[in-house]
C-alpha cells in the first residue's frame, strides 16, 4: 500500500503518467510556420482546423494556441503565479516554436502558453526540438469541470526526445496551460523548444447519474460501532437502487511529511488508529478524535461513489486537505484550501468520484501556522453512489496473481489452521494490495453435485504436505469429497486456473460465486492436473466457494490437493502501470553483451553497429559482464578502465544505459570472497574504485556487484554489504544491484537468500535474479532440450519467477532479472517468453536477455541478428514488444 509502495503517489493533481513507449495519437500538431498554422514571428495566438481521422469516423476541431506569457513567478513550481507576468509573443525557429522573441522561438523558464480546442481532447505527448532532460513543466487543465494540475520532471534524454503523457483530458473550450518551471540550474537555463504535440479527440465528459445522498455519522453507533484505537471500521449503507453497500474507513496514518501539500510524502509515516469523540472521529490519540496535520485516512466502497461534502466539528478556515482517488482507472488528486468559517462548517466537494473498491485518501496538509496546527474533527460525511453499478467483467484484467506456497509469506500457514489469510500486491494503478481469506469446511452434503448442501457442514482445518494444502487431517493435506474451500478477496477478482497435486481424472468440483450481485455456479469435471476456468469473476468481499463433489466411485474417494491458484484482479476500466517513484527508479529492458567475462580471452562488445542494432529495437539497457581480474590484475591495485570507458561512451552516444556486471560467481582465482585468501576488503576496494570513476556518469544504470554467487557457505551477504559500503563511500546516487545465492535462481530465491538484506542508507539497492525455463531448472543453466521434450506450459516462467517476486513484495525492494533466455531455433518458445515478459513488466522489474554479443557461433540462446544485422533472431519478435 502507500507506505510500502511510494510509487503510487501523485505529484500534484490528477493522474498524469509518463512513459517512454511510442506515443499513439490521431493528430500531430507540427510545422508551425506552414499551413494550416502559418505562424509568423510576433503572433500572440494562432489557430488551425485539424481532423482526427479515428474519432467518430473523422471529426474536425479548431485548435488554438494563445496567451503566451513571460515573467511567470515559478518560485513554487506546483503553483506558478501569473500576477506579475507580462504578455509575450510566439516566435518561430526551424524546428519548433516558443514564447519569446520572434527570432528565437525558445520556451524558457517562466514562460507559458495555452492550448484549447472546441472539442474535448486528450494531450498524449510533446516532442522537443531542444531538450536536456533536467527541465520541469507545470501542466494545468480542466476536465469534468474540475481544475487539475501536475508538475513533471523531464527524464534524461537529448534533442528530439518525446515526453509521452496519459490522463490529461481537457474539456471542450477550456485551455490546458503549459508552463516551463525548470530550475535555474537546468541545462541551457531550462530552455526547451516544441517540435510536435500529439493529441486525439475524445468524448465529452458526461456526468454520471448520482443517486441519493447518504449521511455517514454517529461513529460510535451502528452500523459503525467505532471504538477507540480501531485501525478500521465498516458499515452497510442501504441504497434504494443498489441495496446494501459496504463502506469502509481504513488505513489511518500519522507522521506524513506535508512540506509540499501537493505531494504528501508517506515514506516516513507510520500506522495510526481511529480515535473517538462525541462529535466525530480522527486519526491520533484515542481520547481526542482529532484529525491533525500530517494525518490521513481512507474511505472505500464496493460501489463507485461521489464524495459530496464533509462537515467538521472543529474548524477554523485556515486548514488545507489533499484528496487522492481513482476515477475510471486514472489516479487523480487535488488540494483544497478552506474558506473562513467556524465550528460545524460544511465543506462542499465537487468532482471526487471514486471507482468501486478503490480508495479516496484524505490527508490533512494544513500549514504549521494554521490554528491549532490545522486540527480538524469529522462530524459527518455525505456521499452518493452512482445509480448504475459498474459491471464487473473480464475486459480490464490486472496482472497475474499466484496464490501458492502456503507455508510461506504472506500465508505463513501451519497444519491445523482453521483459516489462512494474507495480502498480495497487484501492480495496477500504482499498486493495489488485495487481502485474501481462506476458510475450510467438511461434511458438505454433495448428493446433488450441482447444489451442495452446507446445512450440516462444519468448519475444518487446513493440513499440509510439501506439495500443497487441503482440508482434512493436518498431516495429510487432502481435499476430499464433501469438503470445501471458501476464498474471499477485498477486490473484484477472477480465478483463471487451479492446479492440483493429486488427481486421477474422475473428480468433480462445484464452484459458486457472486458477480454483479448475482449468484453464479458451475460444476467442473477434473480431467487433468490443470483446470482452466472462464468467467469465474467475483465481486469484492464475496466468496468463491470450491467444493469437492466427486462421485463416491472416484479413485481414492475423489481426493485432490490444491497446489496453486492463478488469478488476477478485475477493474472497472483498463488498468495503468507506472513503476517510477521518488527513489528515481526507471524501468528498462535490454540484453547482455557477453564476452569479457570468459577466461582465457576477452572480447569486449564495442562494435558500434551492434549497439546501433539494439538501440533501434529500443533495448537500451545493456548488461556488460566482465571478469574482475581483467580490470584489476592485482588485488588492491589500480583499475584499468580503458575498455569499460569505451563501452560507456557507446552507450552515452545513443542515450543507452549500462549495468556493470562483475561476472565472477563470488570468487577470484578460485577463492570465495569473504575468506582469508579473498577478503571482503578487497571486494570493497575494487567497487569503491569503480564507483569513484563512474559516480557522475549518467549512462550507468547500476553496479552489478557480482554475478551468480554459489556455494559461499553463507559468506555472500557480508561480502555484498562490503561492496555496497565501498560504493556508497564515494557514490550515493547510482543503483547497487545485488545478486542472490544459488546462481541467483529466481525459483529458489526465498530458500537460499534468507539473510540477503543489504543496508543502504540511500535506498537505491535492487536485487538481481536469473531464470531459465528448461526442465533441469533450478539445477540447470539454460541447457535446453528440444521444445517437444521440454513441453513447457505457457505460464512456466510465471511460476518459476514467483518466489523472487514474492520476496520483493515482502521486503519492499526493487527487482532486476539479469539473465533469462530461450532457444533461438523454435518459435514455439515465444509463447512462454511473451507471458513471462508481460508478467515481469507489469510487476515493475527491469531485465536483460541472455545473451547478445558477437562471436557466439552456434550458442542456442544467442539473440544476435544475422545477415549483417538484417535478420532478427526468433525471440526478438517478442523482446521488442517489451521496451520502454
Amino acid at each position: 500500500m502507500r507506505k510500502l509502495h511510494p510509487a503510487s503517489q501523485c505529484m500534484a493533481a490528477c493522474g498524469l503518467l509518463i512513459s517512454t513507449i511510442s506515443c499513439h495519437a490521431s493528430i500531430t500538431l507540427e510545422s508551425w510556420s506552414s499551413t494550416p498554422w502559418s505562424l509568423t514571428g510576433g503572433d500572440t495566438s494562432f489557430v488551425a482546423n485539424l481532423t482526427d481521422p479515428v474519432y467518430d469516423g473523422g471529426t474536425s476541431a479548431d485548435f488554438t494556441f494563445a496567451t503566451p506569457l513571460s515573467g511567470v513567478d515559478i518560485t513554487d513550481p506546483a503553483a506558478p503565479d501569473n500576477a506579475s507576468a507580462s504578455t509575450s509573443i510566439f516566435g518561430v525557429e526551424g524546428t519548433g516554436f516558443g514564447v519569446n522573441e520572434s527570432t528565437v522561438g525558445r520556451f524558457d523558464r517562466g514562460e507559458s502558453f495555452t492550448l484549447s480546442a472546441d472539442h474535448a481532447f486528450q494531450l498524449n505527448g510533446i516532442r522537443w526540438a531542444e531538450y536536456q532532460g533536467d527541465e520541469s513543466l507545470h501542466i494545468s487543465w480542466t476536465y469534468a469541470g474540475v481544475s487539475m494540475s501536475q508538475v513533471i520532471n523531464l527524464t534524461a534524454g537529448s534533442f528530439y526526445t518525446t515526453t509521452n503523457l496519459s490522463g490529461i483530458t481537457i474539456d471542450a473550450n477550456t485551455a490546458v496551460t503549459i508552463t516551463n518551471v525548470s530550475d535555474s540550474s537546468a541545462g541551457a537555463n531550462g530552455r526547451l523548444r516544441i517540435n510536435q504535440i500529439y493529441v486525439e479527440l475524445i468524448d465529452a465528459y458526461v456526468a454520471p447519474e448520482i443517486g441519493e445522498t447518504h449521511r455517514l455519522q454517529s461513529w460510535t453507533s451502528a452500523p459503525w460501532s467505532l471504538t477507540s484505537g480501531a485501525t478500521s471500521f465498516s458499515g452497510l449503507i442501504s441504497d434504494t437502487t443498489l441495496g446494501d453497500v459496504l463502506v469502509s474507513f481504513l488505513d489511518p496514518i500519522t507522521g506524513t511529511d506535508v512540506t509540499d501539500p501537493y505531494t504528501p510524502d508517506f515514506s516516513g509515516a507510520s500506522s495510526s488508529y481511529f480515535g473517538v469523540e462525541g462529535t466525530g472521529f480522527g486519526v491520533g490519540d484515542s481520547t481526542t478524535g482529532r484529525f491533525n496535520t500530517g494525518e490521513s485516512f481512507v474511505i472505500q466502497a464496493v460501489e463507485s461513489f461521489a464524495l459530496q461534502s464533509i462537515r467538521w466539528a472543529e474548524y477554523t478556515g485556515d486548514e488545507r486537505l489533499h484528496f487522492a482517488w481513482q476515477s475510471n482507472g486514472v489516479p487523480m488528486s487535488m488540494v483544497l484550501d478552506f474558506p473562513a468559517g467556524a465550528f460545524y462548517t460544511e465543506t462542499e466537494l465537487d468532482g471526487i468520484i471514486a471507482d468501486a473498491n478503490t480508495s479516496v485518501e484524505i490527508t490533512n496538509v494544513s500549514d504549521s501556522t494554521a490554528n491549532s496546527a490545522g486540527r480538524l474533527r469529522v462530524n459527518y460525511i455525505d456521499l452518493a453512489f452512482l445509480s448504475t453499478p459498474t459491471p464487473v467483467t473480464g475486459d480490464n484484467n490486472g496482472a497475474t496473481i499466484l496464490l501458492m506456497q502456503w507455508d510461506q509469506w504472506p500465508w505463513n500457514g501451519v497444519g491445523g489452521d482453521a483459516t489462512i489469510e494474507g495480502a498480495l500486491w497487484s501492480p495496477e494503478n500504482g499498486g493495489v494490495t488485495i487481502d485474501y481469506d481462506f476458510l475450510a469446511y467438511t461434511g458438505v452434503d454433495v448428493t446433488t453435485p450441482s447444489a451442495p448442501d452446507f446445512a450440516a457442514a462444519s468448519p475444518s482445518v487446513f493440513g499440509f504436505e510439501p506439495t500443497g494444502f487441503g482440508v482434512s487431517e493436518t498431516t495429510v493435506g487432502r481435499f476430499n469429497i464433501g469438503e470445501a474451500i471458501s476464498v474471499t478477496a477485498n477486490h473484484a477478482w477472477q480465478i483463471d486456473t487451479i492446479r492440483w497435486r493429486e488427481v486421477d481424472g474422475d473428480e468433480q468440483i462445484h464452484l459458486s460465486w457472486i458477480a454483479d450481485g448475482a449468484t453464479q455456479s458451475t460444476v467442473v469435471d477434473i480431467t487433468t492436473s490443470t483446470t482452466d476456468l472462464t468467467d469465474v469473476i467475483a465481486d469484492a468481499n464475496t466468496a468463491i466457494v470450491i467444493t469437492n463433489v466427486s462421485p463416491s466411485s472416484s479413485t481414492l474417494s475423489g481426493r485432490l490437493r490444491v497446489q496453486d491458484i492463478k488469478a488476477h484482479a478485475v477493474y472497472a476500466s483498463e488498468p495503468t502501470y507506472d513503476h517510477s517513484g521518488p527513489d528515481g527508479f526507471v524501468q528498462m529492458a535490454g540484453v547482455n553483451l557477453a564476452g569479457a567475462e570468459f577466461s582465457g580471452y576477452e572480447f569486449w562488445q564495442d562494435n558500434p553497429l551492434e549497439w546501433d542494432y539494439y538501440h533501434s529495437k529500443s533495448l537500451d539497457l545493456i548488461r556488460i559482464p566482465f571478469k574482475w581480474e581483467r580490470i584489476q590484475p592485482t588485488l588492491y591495485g589500480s583499475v584499468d578502465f580503458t575498455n569499460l570507458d569505451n563501452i560507456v561512451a557507446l552507450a552515452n552516444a545513443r542515450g543507452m544505459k549500462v549495468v556493470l556486471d562483475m561476472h565472477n560467481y563470488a570468487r577470484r582465482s578460485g577463492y570465495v570472497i569473504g575468506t582469508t585468501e579473498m577478503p571482503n576488503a578487497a571486494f570493497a576496494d575494487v567497487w569503491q574504485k569503480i564507483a569513484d570513476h563512474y559516480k557522475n556518469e549518467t549512462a550507468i544504470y547500476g553496479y552489478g556487484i557480482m554475478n551468480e554467487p554459489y556455494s559461499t557457505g553463507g559468506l555472500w551477504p557480508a561480502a555484498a554489504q562490503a561492496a555496497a559500503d565501498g560504493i556508497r563511500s564515494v557514490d550515493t546516487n547510482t543503483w547497487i544491484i545485488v545478486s542472490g545465492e544459488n546462481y541467483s535462481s529466481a525459483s529458489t530465491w526465498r530458500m537460499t537468500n534468507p539473510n540477503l538484506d543489504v543496508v543502504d542508507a540511500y535506498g537505491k539497492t535492487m536485487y538481481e535474479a536469473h531464470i531459465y525455463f528448461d526442465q533441469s531448472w533450478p539445477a540447470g543453466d539454460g541447457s535446453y532440450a528440444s521444445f517437444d521434450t521440454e513441453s513447457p506450459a505457457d505460464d512456466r516462467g510465471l511460476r518459476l519467477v514467483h518466489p523472487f517476486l514474492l520476496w520483493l513484495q515482502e521486503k519492499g525492494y526493487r527487482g532486476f532479472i539479469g539473465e533469462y533466455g530461450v532457444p533461438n531455433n523454435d518459435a514455439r518458445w515465444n509463447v512462454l517468453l511473451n507471458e513471462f515478459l508481460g508478467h515481469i513488466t507489469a510487476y515493475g522489474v527491469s531485465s536483460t536477455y541472455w545473451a547478445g554479443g558477437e562471436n557466439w557461433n552456434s550458442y542456442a540462446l544467442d539473440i544476435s541478428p544475422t545477415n549483417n544485422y538484417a535478420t532478427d533472431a526468433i525471440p526478438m519478435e517478442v523482446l521488442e514488444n517489451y521496451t520502454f
Side-chain angles (χ1 to χ4, degrees):
M1 295 182 69
R2 49 192 168 160
K3 302 181 288 300
L4 298 178
H5 303 283
S8 67
Q9 300 163 17
C10 292
M11 280 203 63
C14 113
L16 174 63
L17 301 177
I18 306 170
S19 168
T20 55
I21 300 171
S22 298
C23 197
H24 299 287
S26 303
I27 303 174
T28 299
L29 314 182
E30 60 180 343
S31 303
W32 315 105
S33 59
S34 305
T35 304
W37 306 107
S38 302
L39 170 63
T40 60
D43 283 346
T44 58
S45 66
F46 58 103
V47 63
N49 184 269
L50 296 166
T51 300
D52 185 331
V54 176
Y55 182 82
D56 202 20
T59 304
S60 297
D62 288 329
F63 288 86
T64 302
F65 289 86
T67 326
L69 297 176
S70 63
V72 178
D73 182 352
I74 57 172
T75 306
D76 181 358
D81 184 358
N82 296 336
S84 300
S86 57
T87 302
S88 187
I89 56 176
F90 290 100
V92 179
E93 210 162 39
T95 54
F97 78 97
V99 182
N100 209 320
E101 296 296 325
S102 61
T103 57
V104 180
R106 294 168 178 165
F107 180 39
D108 288 339
R109 296 180 62 246
E111 297 181 330
S112 71
F113 64 92
T114 65
L115 170 63
S116 62
D118 60 356
H119 194 289
F121 71 100
Q122 179 168 296
L123 178 62
N124 286 1
I126 304 174
R127 185 173 188 251
W128 309 98
E130 185 165 2
Y131 182 96
Q132 305 290 327
D134 53 4
E135 303 88 349
S136 298
L137 296 179
H138 180 275
I139 302 178
S140 61
W141 68 100
T142 300
Y143 183 63
V146 179
S147 297
M148 305 177 184
S149 66
Q150 178 78 51
V151 174
I152 61 170
N153 297 313
L154 303 188
T155 55
S158 58
F159 280 38
Y160 300 101
T161 290
T162 297
T163 300
N164 293 337
L165 308 170
S166 176
I168 302 183
T169 49
I170 299 108
D171 290 338
N173 300 305
T174 65
V176 54
T177 302
I178 304 174
T179 306
N180 188 326
V181 294
S182 303
D183 188 82
S184 58
S185 63
N189 202 30
R191 185 175 66 214
L192 293 162
R193 295 180 195 143
I194 294 173
N195 179 226
Q196 296 175 328
I197 297 178
Y198 309 112
V199 300
E200 62 181 298
L201 301 185
I202 61 171
D203 292 337
Y205 174 77
V206 177
E209 294 185 16
I210 302 297
E212 63 200 290
T213 295
H214 300 282
R215 179 152 294 173
L216 283 50
Q217 59 181 339
S218 303
W219 311 107
T220 59
S221 305
W224 311 110
S225 302
L226 172 62
T227 58
S228 300
T231 57
S232 65
F233 61 100
S234 302
L236 290 173
I237 306 301
S238 181
D239 185 83
T240 302
T241 302
L242 303 175
D244 287 342
V245 179
L246 183 68
V247 178
S248 301
F249 290 80
L250 308 166
D251 205 14
I253 298 293
T254 189
T256 305
D257 182 352
V258 296
T259 305
D260 180 356
Y262 292 90
T263 314
D265 181 1
F266 295 94
S267 59
S270 58
S271 297
S272 187
Y273 45 85
F274 290 100
V276 179
E277 208 165 42
T279 54
F281 76 95
V283 182
D285 190 90
S286 61
T287 60
T288 59
R290 293 167 180 166
F291 179 40
N292 292 334
T293 298
E295 298 181 328
S296 73
F297 63 93
V298 159
I299 306 176
Q300 183 172 300
V302 297
E303 296 288 350
S304 298
F305 70 94
L307 187 61
Q308 297 174 307
S309 67
I310 303 176
R311 187 176 188 245
W312 309 98
E314 185 165 1
Y315 181 97
T316 303
D318 53 4
E319 300 87 353
R320 172 184 276 185
L321 291 183
H322 179 276
F323 294 86
W325 70 99
Q326 178 180 299
S327 184
N328 291 322
V330 178
M332 311 183 79
S333 64
M334 75 174 186
V335 171
L336 179 66
D337 290 302
F338 287 2
F343 278 40
Y344 299 102
T345 292
E346 184 169 342
T347 302
E348 299 290 338
L349 304 171
D350 185 32
I352 302 179
I353 301 176
D355 294 340
N357 298 302
T358 64
S359 300
V360 175
E361 174 190 88
I362 305 174
T363 306
N364 189 327
V365 294
S366 301
D367 189 83
S368 58
T369 61
N371 183 67
S372 298
R375 185 174 67 210
L376 294 163
R377 294 178 196 146
V378 177
N379 179 221
Y380 62 68
I381 295 173
D382 283 347
L383 59 77
F385 303 111
L386 273 59
S387 295
T388 304
T390 302
V392 176
T393 69
D395 296 334
N396 296 300
N397 299 335
T400 296
I401 300 170
L402 290 173
L403 284 61
M404 59 188 299
Q405 295 180 311
W406 314 104
D407 57 344
Q408 298 183 25
W409 184 94
W411 316 109
N412 298 322
V414 295
D417 280 347
T419 63
I420 300 176
E421 57 186 23
L424 290 173
W425 183 71
S426 196
E428 297 79 32
N429 306 321
V432 179
T433 299
I434 303 177
D435 296 321
Y436 295 90
D437 293 286
F438 289 75
L439 301 176
Y441 299 91
T442 188
V444 181
D445 183 351
V446 296
T447 305
T448 305
S450 61
D453 184 357
F454 284 77
S458 59
S460 186
V461 294
F462 289 94
F464 278 85
E465 261 187 349
T467 53
F469 79 104
V471 184
S472 193
E473 298 294 328
T474 60
T475 57
V476 180
R478 295 169 178 165
F479 178 42
N480 290 332
I481 295 173
E483 297 180 331
I485 304 164
S486 169
V487 191
T488 303
N490 65 344
H491 192 288
W493 68 303
Q494 178 170 353
I495 291 184
D496 299 314
T497 302
I498 304 174
R499 285 204 309 171
W500 313 97
R501 286 297 298 178
E502 189 163 3
V503 63
D504 287 284
D506 53 3
E507 300 88 355
Q508 282 185 325
I509 61 169
H510 177 275
L511 293 112
S512 64
W513 66 98
I514 296 174
D516 298 329
T519 300
Q520 313 284 329
S521 67
T522 187
V523 174
V524 179
D525 293 320
I526 308 301
T527 57
T528 65
S529 60
T530 298
T531 300
D532 294 320
L533 303 169
T534 57
D535 300 325
V536 181
I537 306 171
D539 295 342
N541 301 302
T542 65
I544 298 178
V545 180
I546 308 167
T547 306
N548 190 327
V549 295
S550 303
S552 57
S553 59
S554 297
T555 307
L556 296 175
S557 296
R559 185 173 70 207
L560 293 165
R561 297 180 196 139
V562 177
Q563 180 178 359
D564 58 53
I565 297 173
K566 186 168 75 171
H568 57 258
V570 178
Y571 298 88
S573 57
E574 184 177 359
T576 59
Y577 296 87
D578 177 19
H579 297 288
S580 59
D583 56 7
F585 175 77
V586 177
Q587 190 177 7
M588 296 188 70
V591 300
N592 287 263
L593 292 185
E597 78 277 21
F598 296 122
S599 299
Y601 72 97
E602 61 178 309
F603 191 89
W604 293 91
Q605 302 293 345
D606 55 6
N607 183 343
L609 294 177
E610 187 174 34
W611 288 73
D612 288 341
Y613 171 77
Y614 292 109
H615 182 49
S616 73
K617 299 294 187 181
S618 296
L619 293 166
D620 285 333
L621 180 60
I622 304 299
R623 183 173 180 253
I624 295 293
F626 62 88
K627 198 173 182 63
W628 180 356
E629 296 88 335
R630 187 152 284 140
I631 65 166
Q632 190 187 42
T634 304
L635 283 184
Y636 302 104
S638 61
V639 175
D640 182 358
F641 290 102
T642 303
N643 290 302
L644 287 177
D645 283 349
N646 290 339
I647 294 295
V648 171
L650 286 164
N652 253 326
R654 293 159 179 80
M656 301 171 77
K657 299 287 185 181
V658 172
V659 172
L660 301 179
D661 163 47
M662 186 173 286
H663 213 83
N664 278 70
Y665 305 92
R667 288 158 171 74
R668 178 178 167 129
S669 303
Y671 297 111
V672 175
I673 300 171
T675 59
T676 302
E677 297 83 359
M678 195 55 55
N680 288 338
F683 190 41
D685 170 78
V686 67
W687 273 112
Q688 181 181 24
K689 289 171 178 173
I690 294 171
D692 193 45
H693 184 77
Y694 288 117
K695 61 188 175 185
N696 296 317
E697 178 52 70
T698 58
I700 303 298
Y701 185 78
Y703 301 125
I705 59 174
M706 183 55 61
N707 176 72
E708 294 189 353
Y710 74 95
S711 300
T712 69
L715 296 177
W716 173 237
Q721 186 66 59
D725 291 343
I727 291 169
R728 286 293 176 249
S729 69
V730 293
D731 183 347
T732 61
N733 187 57
T734 306
W735 285 92
I736 298 171
I737 302 176
V738 181
S739 292
E741 270 274 16
N742 194 31
Y743 301 94
S744 304
S745 162
S747 66
T748 65
W749 187 279
R750 291 169 63 84
M751 293 183 292
T752 55
N753 295 285
N755 303 312
L756 189 58
D757 292 283
V758 171
V759 177
D760 179 5
Y762 299 92
K764 300 197 72 169
T765 296
M766 68 177 73
Y767 291 82
E768 176 182 346
H770 295 177
I771 182 167
Y772 295 93
F773 314 111
D774 51 314
Q775 289 279 23
S776 58
W777 186 269
D781 58 358
S783 300
Y784 290 84
S786 70
F787 184 88
D788 292 320
T789 299
E790 295 280 354
S791 188
D794 296 346
D795 58 7
R796 181 186 286 180
L798 276 62
R799 300 180 190 282
L800 291 175
V801 79
H802 178 72
F804 177 60
L805 296 183
L806 205 63
W807 184 85
L808 294 176
Q809 289 184 36
E810 180 182 6
K811 301 287 189 178
Y813 291 156
R814 298 284 194 183
F816 173 57
I817 303 296
E819 294 181 17
Y820 68 95
V822 297
N824 60 15
N825 60 0
D826 195 325
R828 289 179 291 176
W829 283 104
N830 279 2
V831 177
L832 179 153
L833 184 62
N834 184 64
E835 285 217 16
F836 171 72
L837 284 177
H839 188 62
I840 65 170
T841 298
Y843 276 92
V845 175
S846 293
S847 62
T848 47
Y849 189 92
W850 186 272
E854 299 178 341
N855 286 13
W856 270 122
N857 297 321
S858 59
Y859 179 53
L861 305 190
D862 182 13
I863 195 66
S864 304
T866 56
N867 192 23
N868 195 27
Y869 298 96
T871 303
D872 293 339
I874 289 173
M876 185 59 71
E877 179 183 343
V878 176
L879 263 65
E880 61 184 340
N881 293 325
Y882 292 97
T883 59
F884 301 91

